[in-house]
Amino acid sequence: MELFNETTSSIKPLNTEVMKFVRTRFDDLYTGTGNLGNLEEIVVKFAGISGNEFPEISECILVQIGERGDFNSELSELEKKSAKLLNACLLNFKKSGKNNFNIIETVEEGINFIDENIHEKGCAVIPSIAMNYENKISAFCIAAMLCKKEKSDIFDNIEYLLQDISGLSIEDVKQALEESTVNTNEMSDLFKKTGTYDIWFTLGIMLGTMKKHGIIILSGWVSLLCACLAKQLSADFSDYFLSSQISSLNIHNELSKKLSVEGNINCGKNENDIFAAVLQKNMLETAIKIYIESITKEEAGVKG
């Protein structure tokens, strides 16, 4: 518990002075394309995270979370291709063979994993979670408990939220929800009673990345759920996430609203398109390059 408390207390809000500098510089630049819109804001966010007025992605890692085998060979191949396109280190984490696990210890394993593999501020981390039945049903139940009766009663409509998620049984979900009596105002209650190893490990790598002043790029809805768990610890933590995927999945869209993030790459009904995160990271790098290398309007002879 000591590492968990130390990590969460060491994560600070984004550097607003740095963000102000970047916005002002963007206003003064001649990019040749006019206002870059959302691309400007992701550079501003990344600068605020890294604390650097001229930020650069120091290193990028793609973390494979959960077992990789024949049943998800397609995901494994996509991750390998993605790592090459990202110029990223592809890291696989395999949990111990224990059937039972301690949730806080699992979160701390994720924090330690980042401490061991990230060495500089300004990193980018992309979690890639193997979507098995247990992960999906657990993530759905946590999402339902966190979001129920917030602003709307959409999370009371289980059939609506499940209709695009492949393989989940409505009956199993309803039973799991009936068995889950959790006080969602108490994070400790969620820690005690819900979640799979992969979900809590993912939360750990997210917290570890924030501690290192890094940005977390999200794709699938389970990674969005893990980000929502981080936000339960502190509203400020949601500033460290960059969503990549535009999805037609109802659950994905509701979690995006809760986290107040929007993706940029349309993936239709794909539950976890890691390639969207690749494109999002490349968009961030392109925007940073424009920001750093563009001349000012005065230098370009442009008024206003």
Side-chain angles (χ1 to χ4, degrees):
M1 193 77 179
E2 183 178 347
L3 177 61
F4 174 82
N5 290 334
E6 176 192 320
T7 300
T8 53
S9 62
S10 70
I11 300 167
K12 305 302 180 187
L14 305 196
N15 189 318
T16 54
E17 288 301 310
V18 166
M19 295 169 76
K20 181 180 178 181
F21 176 91
V22 176
R23 283 198 180 97
T24 301
R25 177 172 165 78
F26 261 124
D27 289 341
D28 195 38
L29 291 179
Y30 176 69
T31 63
T33 57
N35 190 293
L36 295 178
N38 186 47
L39 287 179
E40 291 186 9
E41 278 307 304
I42 65 175
V43 176
V44 170
K45 171 180 276 198
F46 183 60
I49 290 170
S50 65
N52 188 345
E53 293 176 346
F54 293 91
E56 291 185 86
I57 297 176
S58 59
E59 52 191 320
C60 180
I61 65 170
L62 196 162
V63 187
Q64 296 173 305
I65 302 163
E67 295 296 324
R68 295 297 186 276
D70 293 339
F71 67 93
N72 56 16
S73 58
E74 185 178 338
L75 174 61
S76 297
E77 285 303 311
L78 184 57
E79 288 166 340
K80 290 175 186 176
K81 291 177 183 176
S82 297
K84 288 182 180 179
L85 290 169
L86 287 162
N87 191 26
C89 185
L90 179 61
L91 301 175
N92 180 266
F93 182 82
K94 295 179 180 178
K95 69 175 182 177
S96 64
K98 296 178 182 178
N99 291 325
N100 297 320
F101 66 92
N102 178 285
I103 289 175
I104 292 294
E105 288 177 2
T106 302
V107 175
E108 291 182 339
E109 281 184 54
I111 295 169
N112 280 325
F113 183 84
I114 292 297
D115 280 341
E116 291 166 5
N117 290 287
I118 292 292
H119 309 100
E120 299 179 50
K121 290 182 178 181
C123 59
V125 173
I126 302 172
S128 181
I129 308 166
M131 305 279 281
N132 57 41
Y133 193 85
E134 186 182 10
N135 283 345
K136 287 183 186 179
I137 198 167
S138 179
F140 184 91
C141 288
I142 295 173
M145 287 183 283
L146 287 182
C147 301
K148 196 172 183 180
K149 301 194 182 305
E150 283 193 8
K151 297 180 182 178
S152 73
D153 60 356
I154 194 69
F155 269 84
D156 288 325
N157 192 339
I158 295 171
E159 289 82 357
Y160 169 76
L161 291 167
L162 282 175
Q163 67 185 23
D164 297 321
I165 303 175
S166 62
L168 280 191
S169 158
I170 292 177
E171 290 72 24
D172 286 351
V173 170
K174 286 183 176 179
Q175 181 178 343
L177 283 169
E178 286 175 5
E179 293 172 355
S180 300
T181 52
V182 174
N183 179 1
T184 52
N185 293 320
E186 291 292 335
M187 194 65 179
S188 59
D189 211 29
L190 274 171
F191 276 154
K192 290 174 185 175
K193 299 178 181 178
T194 58
T196 63
Y197 185 97
D198 296 338
I199 288 172
W200 296 118
F201 178 78
T202 302
L203 175 62
I205 69 167
M206 289 175 171
L207 296 176
T209 303
M210 295 175 201
K211 179 183 174 184
K212 294 278 187 175
H213 297 269
I215 194 165
I216 303 113
I217 304 178
L218 308 171
S219 54
W221 69 269
V222 175
S223 68
L224 278 167
L225 182 277
C226 295
C228 287
L229 286 171
K231 187 177 180 180
Q232 285 290 112
L233 294 169
S234 170
D236 289 337
F237 292 177
S238 61
D239 293 332
Y240 285 79
F241 297 104
L242 185 59
S243 184
S244 59
Q245 189 172 342
I246 298 173
S247 173
S248 61
L249 269 67
N250 299 325
I251 185 83
H252 187 113
N253 293 328
E254 294 305 319
L255 289 171
S256 293
K257 290 175 190 175
K258 179 171 177 61
L259 197 59
S260 300
V261 296
E262 294 181 2
N264 294 293
I265 295 93
N266 194 333
C267 298
K269 292 187 177 182
N270 198 321
E271 289 186 40
N272 183 19
D273 192 341
I274 198 68
F275 194 63
V278 174
L279 293 175
Q280 185 65 74
K281 185 257 188 180
N282 289 344
M283 287 169 66
L284 173 58
E285 283 189 314
T286 299
I288 290 171
K289 188 177 179 68
I290 292 171
Y291 165 76
I292 291 176
E293 297 183 2
S294 293
I295 59 175
T296 65
K297 291 172 185 173
E298 182 180 353
E299 289 169 331
V302 177
K303 294 183 178 180

